[in-house]
Amino acid sequence: MKVSQRQVLTPGLVQMVSVLALNKLELKEMINTEMVENPVLEELEESAISLEERSGIEGDRERSAEEVAAASEKVEKDPFDEIDFGSYFQDYLDPGFRTSSNFEEYDKPSFENFLSQPSTLSDHLLWQLGSLTLSPEMRAAAELVVGNLNENGYLTASDEELMEGLEQFKSPVWSGPIPFERGLKARPSSLQIDETGDGEAHEVEIKIAAAADGESLRQEALLAVVQEARSIVNFLDPIGVGARDLRECLLIQISAQQREAAIVLRRRLMAADHSADSDENSDVVDEPPPAVDDEGHAGVFSIASHIVSHCLALLQKKDMRELTRSCGRTSEEVHAAVDFIRTLDPRPGQRYNQSEARLIEPDVAFVKRDDQYVVLMNEEDMPTLRLNQSYRKMLQQKQTEKEVKEYVKERYKSAIQLLRNIEQRKNTIVRTCDVIVRRQTEFLEHGVNALKPMMIKEVAEEIGVHPSTVSRAVANKYVHTPQGVFELRFFFSEGVNGPEGGDLPLVLLKRKVKKLIEDEDERKPLTDDQLAAELQKQGIQVTRRTVAKYREDMQIPSTHQRRVR
């Protein structure tokens, strides 16, 4: 036994923290979910009125209807207006047969049924597999390969995992090697009957060998199916999907293009031979073009395969001198092979897995009124909640059961806590944005170049909350400003010693580094020391290590990798 003190988050505090981190769309979804689960909560519509008002309005409506009916009886009706000319002409012009559409109303299909859905990589590959003639086991293996592709088109499952998945596929009794497996090892000699010996002894040997090697044969057969399925998927469109890594993906594409080039050259040779045979007046036959295996594209393909297989690191560094030395070819041939490799697709699955645009709805707006910026919460389309009075009356009635009262009381507490947390979220966001507006007025007037460094800790101290509260208040939330829509976290960044003794936000420092790199000479790119020197000339005190860090954060290659030879 011991006495100790510890901090425990109550359910209400946990809900407050979670509600504060939600943006508008997420909060709206949460409110709708709570209204479904909690019957005490209900949405207050703008047109909602009380029961007394509704009864009064209905009484006035009944009286006004009676007055209108009485007044209409007094007005003399024109007989010409009583004729239904639509049915009159339809009766006399109709040929005699009427379809059911003339009398029945039917629901037309929704417009959403006609909207097209973008095809994914899996859909595209499965559609191609459906056009191939494959055995059930092979089709199941190919579908397993397709189902284990990532967004780039690479295979993430190992052969063992694919074999385990294929074993679960319900197939007929396994009767020896399947006809489509390729490269399967021959059966062991112990499985073959020697006709010169005793028949019974050989029969016993066959049974023993089959029991011992049956599992290994099954594993070899499964592996052959998986490898064949992988090769089928590799050469589907886009070519290269199903590869394990970048090297294998590029080699598959090189092999496919080499086969296509050989087919094209073979057709040209056949066309040249046909034209030579059909030309009766020609005594001299032109020499055929050189073979594919000697010159032309074959040299480019072989060099490209060597580079991808053994010199991929040198290719990434763009070290053409070492590449030429490793390939043992001329500089022109190596450059041609490198240009060919650049035409290949390192991520073949990305063209079918393009991410859709994410919808952004600003939670806050900074609006200028009377030469002063104010903070406005975007509460459009947000449901207005209120507590249901019927359940409150149930708590006051004596005939209500105890269990019902306990349930309603618990629901009331949960609903009140949610309303308080939503109001607390609004107040925290507004107070945080008020500080942002006061500190970033120049940004709102002049743009990004006038942005000032600002820390979350400073804002938290000014409004009197913990820094984690401010961090949650600005997380995944956007603001509409005169300069555009920005994420609230955009305004918080550290500062470095800038010109004229002031601080420069890291956002502007990264923009300056990126601008210097974009304007550099590609044959003589700037080093990190030169970039730091250029920034120091502008009055920004940074070191080489700082420049290198921010360059890597922006995923900009090093000087050696940016150099174009």
Side-chain angles (χ1 to χ4, degrees):
M1 300 292 293
K2 65 177 182 179
V3 179
S4 62
Q5 290 183 344
R6 60 179 182 176
Q7 224 173 13
V8 179
L9 294 177
T10 62
L13 186 57
V14 172
Q15 188 187 62
M16 184 189 70
V17 171
S18 61
V19 168
L20 182 61
L22 299 178
N23 56 28
K24 179 185 175 182
L25 298 178
E26 296 171 344
L27 179 62
K28 184 178 179 180
E29 183 178 357
M30 178 187 178
I31 290 175
N32 293 331
T33 304
E34 287 291 332
M35 284 193 298
V36 172
E37 297 178 354
N38 194 343
V40 175
L41 282 173
E42 63 180 6
E43 183 178 358
L44 177 62
E45 300 179 359
E46 296 181 357
S47 59
I49 56 177
S50 62
L51 294 177
E52 293 79 5
E53 295 176 352
R54 182 177 297 276
S55 61
I57 293 176
E58 291 179 354
D60 295 339
R61 186 180 301 171
E62 292 177 357
R63 289 192 297 269
S64 61
E66 294 177 355
E67 294 175 358
V68 171
S72 60
E73 291 179 354
K74 297 180 181 180
V75 179
E76 294 182 358
K77 296 182 179 180
D78 190 0
F80 187 83
D81 296 334
E82 297 178 359
I83 301 175
D84 188 2
F85 288 95
S87 59
Y88 180 84
F89 285 106
Q90 185 177 5
D91 292 336
Y92 284 92
L93 297 179
D94 191 72
F97 174 77
R98 298 185 183 180
T99 61
S100 59
S101 60
N102 296 92
F103 304 94
E104 299 179 1
E105 294 182 359
Y106 60 93
D107 294 335
K108 295 182 180 180
S110 174
F111 182 73
E112 297 178 355
N113 297 335
F114 302 98
L115 297 178
S116 61
Q117 183 179 3
S119 176
T120 62
L121 177 63
S122 300
D123 298 336
H124 184 61
L125 295 176
L126 292 176
W127 172 74
Q128 296 179 72
L129 288 176
S131 62
L132 301 179
T133 303
L134 302 174
S135 63
E137 292 84 2
M138 183 63 68
R139 187 175 301 277
E143 291 178 356
L144 281 175
V145 174
V146 173
N148 287 275
L149 300 179
N150 60 10
E151 58 182 7
N152 294 327
Y154 292 128
L155 181 61
T156 57
S158 61
D159 289 341
E160 291 75 13
E161 294 174 342
L162 294 176
M163 291 166 59
E164 291 178 2
L166 187 59
E167 282 181 337
Q168 299 176 2
F169 175 71
K170 301 298 183 180
S171 60
V173 179
W174 201 285
S175 58
I178 51 181
F180 46 79
E181 64 182 344
R182 300 177 182 175
L184 186 61
K185 297 181 180 179
R187 290 178 177 271
S189 58
S190 58
L191 292 178
Q192 300 178 3
I193 301 177
D194 187 2
E195 297 179 355
T196 60
D198 187 13
E200 296 181 358
H202 288 295
E203 185 177 353
V204 173
E205 291 180 2
I206 291 174
K207 293 180 179 180
I208 296 175
D213 299 338
E215 183 63 25
S216 62
L217 283 174
R218 183 177 180 83
Q219 293 297 323
E220 290 178 0
L222 286 175
L223 181 60
V225 175
V226 169
Q227 291 177 349
E228 181 70 14
R230 282 191 56 198
S231 63
I232 292 175
V233 175
N234 289 153
F235 290 94
L236 294 178
D237 180 65
I239 296 177
V241 295
R244 298 286 186 187
D245 50 18
L246 176 61
R247 180 177 287 103
E248 184 179 356
C249 178
L250 297 180
L251 288 175
I252 292 172
Q253 297 181 51
I254 293 173
S255 175
Q257 295 207 25
Q258 186 175 7
R259 290 167 52 187
E260 184 177 355
I263 293 174
V264 172
L265 184 58
R266 190 180 304 113
R267 291 177 178 176
R268 291 180 179 177
L269 291 174
M270 294 176 61
D273 295 340
H274 180 70
S275 61
D277 294 339
S278 60
D279 190 1
E280 298 177 354
N281 299 326
S282 177
D283 297 333
V284 180
V285 180
D286 296 336
E287 296 183 358
V292 151
D293 297 334
D294 298 334
E295 299 293 340
H297 294 289
V300 175
F301 292 138
S302 61
I303 298 174
S305 300
H306 177 80
I307 293 174
V308 173
S309 301
H310 305 94
C311 309
L312 196 57
L314 296 176
L315 179 63
Q316 294 174 347
K317 295 179 181 179
K318 298 181 180 180
D319 195 345
M320 301 302 298
R321 183 178 302 175
E322 290 295 330
L323 279 177
T324 305
R325 184 181 307 170
S326 175
C327 296
R329 299 296 185 96
T330 63
S331 177
E332 292 77 9
E333 292 176 335
V334 174
H335 276 83
V338 171
D339 293 338
F340 166 68
I341 294 175
R342 289 174 180 171
T343 62
L344 306 179
D345 190 357
R347 300 180 182 88
Q350 280 290 349
R351 68 181 71 173
Y352 292 98
N353 288 325
Q354 298 179 357
S355 57
E356 298 181 357
R358 185 165 60 111
L359 297 178
I360 294 178
E361 188 171 359
D363 297 77
V364 196
F366 297 162
V367 182
K368 189 173 185 181
R369 292 181 178 176
D370 299 333
D371 298 334
Q372 186 177 3
Y373 286 97
V374 295
V375 179
L376 298 179
M377 288 291 296
N378 183 11
E379 297 180 341
E380 186 179 0
D381 297 334
M382 287 293 293
T384 303
L385 300 178
R386 72 174 180 182
L387 302 177
N388 194 310
Q389 299 296 328
S390 302
Y391 288 95
R392 186 174 182 180
K393 294 178 181 179
M394 293 177 61
L395 295 177
Q396 299 174 355
Q397 295 175 358
K398 296 182 180 180
Q399 63 270 21
T400 306
E401 298 180 1
K402 183 178 180 181
E403 296 179 356
V404 177
K405 285 187 178 182
E406 292 295 332
Y407 174 77
V408 173
K409 189 179 297 183
E410 186 67 26
R411 294 293 86 192
Y412 257 103
K413 290 181 180 179
S414 177
I416 293 173
Q417 185 66 43
L418 177 61
L419 295 177
R420 289 177 179 174
N421 292 335
I422 294 175
E423 188 66 22
Q424 181 69 22
R425 169 188 177 274
K426 177 181 178 181
N427 294 335
T428 305
I429 295 176
V430 170
R431 290 166 60 192
T432 303
C433 292
D434 285 336
V435 178
I436 295 176
V437 168
R438 290 198 302 269
R439 290 173 174 256
Q440 303 292 347
T441 304
E442 295 183 2
F443 162 80
L444 300 176
E445 292 286 349
H446 306 290
V448 179
N449 293 329
L451 186 68
K452 295 182 179 179
M454 184 173 59
M455 302 290 292
I456 291 181
K457 184 179 180 181
E458 300 173 356
V459 178
E461 292 176 353
E462 187 169 346
I463 64 178
V465 296
H466 195 270
S468 62
T469 303
V470 178
S471 179
R472 292 188 180 93
V474 299
N476 300 324
K477 297 178 181 65
Y478 291 81
V479 56
H480 184 274
T481 68
Q483 304 298 332
V485 178
F486 295 89
E487 191 176 5
L488 282 177
R489 282 191 178 274
F490 170 79
F491 298 98
F492 297 93
S493 62
E494 298 179 0
V496 295
N497 190 5
E500 300 179 0
D503 291 336
L504 181 71
L506 295 183
V507 177
L508 298 184
L509 177 60
K510 291 182 179 181
R511 288 165 62 95
K512 290 182 179 293
V513 172
K514 186 176 181 180
K515 180 64 176 176
L516 290 174
I517 294 176
E518 290 176 352
D519 297 340
E520 68 184 3
D521 186 3
E522 293 182 352
R523 297 186 177 274
K524 295 182 179 179
L526 298 176
T527 63
D528 295 336
D529 290 325
Q530 294 173 344
L531 292 173
E534 289 291 335
L535 293 174
Q536 290 175 2
K537 290 180 182 179
Q538 301 178 13
I540 304 173
Q541 303 300 322
V542 292
T543 61
R544 184 199 64 81
R545 295 181 60 184
T546 304
V547 173
K549 175 184 176 181
Y550 297 146
R551 176 182 56 77
E552 293 175 356
D553 291 343
M554 293 183 290
Q555 298 181 353
I556 298 177
S558 62
T559 305
H560 184 73
Q561 296 175 349
R562 298 197 310 269
R563 181 178 291 110
V564 177
R565 296 175 177 86

